Amino acid sequence: MKKFIIQVFTWWNSQTIGTRLHTWRKGKRVGEDEFGNVYYTGGKDSEGRTRRWVIFNGYSEASAIPAGWHGWMHHRTDTPPTEENYQPREWQKQHQQNLTGTPQAYRPQGAISASGQRPKVTGDYDAWTPN
């Protein structure tokens, strides 16, 4: 019951009721990634290509799609990673959760939320002050 209520009132958790119905009617399951996200295909888009979509396992965050599935989702390849022996390149990074708004977020030197102290101005710039 909780899952149903969440699907009715939120769009950022897994799927909505509309997506559930569309997937049930037109979707064909293609595969699942290591995060538990499930990938589907079915129907045609405005350019005549087969539609592809993902149902996230939990919070919907696009950066949680692994590199191999990202290429398939964006029609860069016709073969999903489940049908080939896909190995990520050494320069491809693993997913890292978006930390914006959390205590672990990146705060550059001089940011008010970091230390509150802005570094001294360097070079030949002197700020104007009234006499």
Side-chain angles (χ1 to χ4, degrees), residues 3-120:
K3 195 173 195 179
F4 176 76
I5 298 293
I6 288 173
Q7 288 180 2
V8 168
F9 293 106
T10 65
W11 57 264
W12 55 87
N13 286 305
S14 187
Q15 62 183 328
T16 62
I17 293 296
T19 305
R20 179 183 282 262
L21 290 172
H22 179 76
T23 302
W24 176 70
R25 289 180 56 226
K26 301 203 179 218
K28 177 184 168 214
R29 184 182 168 124
V30 175
E32 186 174 332
D33 64 22
E34 63 266 22
F35 301 119
N37 302 326
V38 183
Y39 298 86
Y40 292 91
T41 186
K44 298 285 182 185
D45 65 9
S46 61
E47 297 177 5
R49 300 178 301 187
T50 303
R51 289 186 187 272
R52 297 173 179 175
W53 68 94
V54 60
I55 307 255
F56 290 98
N57 178 21
Y59 191 74
S60 299
E61 183 181 346
S63 67
I65 297 176
W69 283 106
H70 181 271
W72 179 82
M73 286 285 294
H74 293 278
H75 296 275
R76 289 182 173 58
T77 179
D78 290 330
T79 309
T82 54
E83 294 179 11
E84 66 182 3
N85 189 15
Y86 177 80
Q87 295 296 321
R89 310 264 193 233
E90 66 271 359
W91 47 266
Q92 291 175 325
K93 296 181 179 180
Q94 289 293 321
H95 167 68
Q96 180 181 7
Q97 183 179 0
N98 183 354
L99 300 174
T100 303
T102 68
Q104 294 84 26
Y106 172 71
R107 291 175 174 83
Q109 181 182 7
I112 294 172
S113 58
S115 66
Q117 296 296 320
R118 189 176 152 284
K120 297 264 186 216

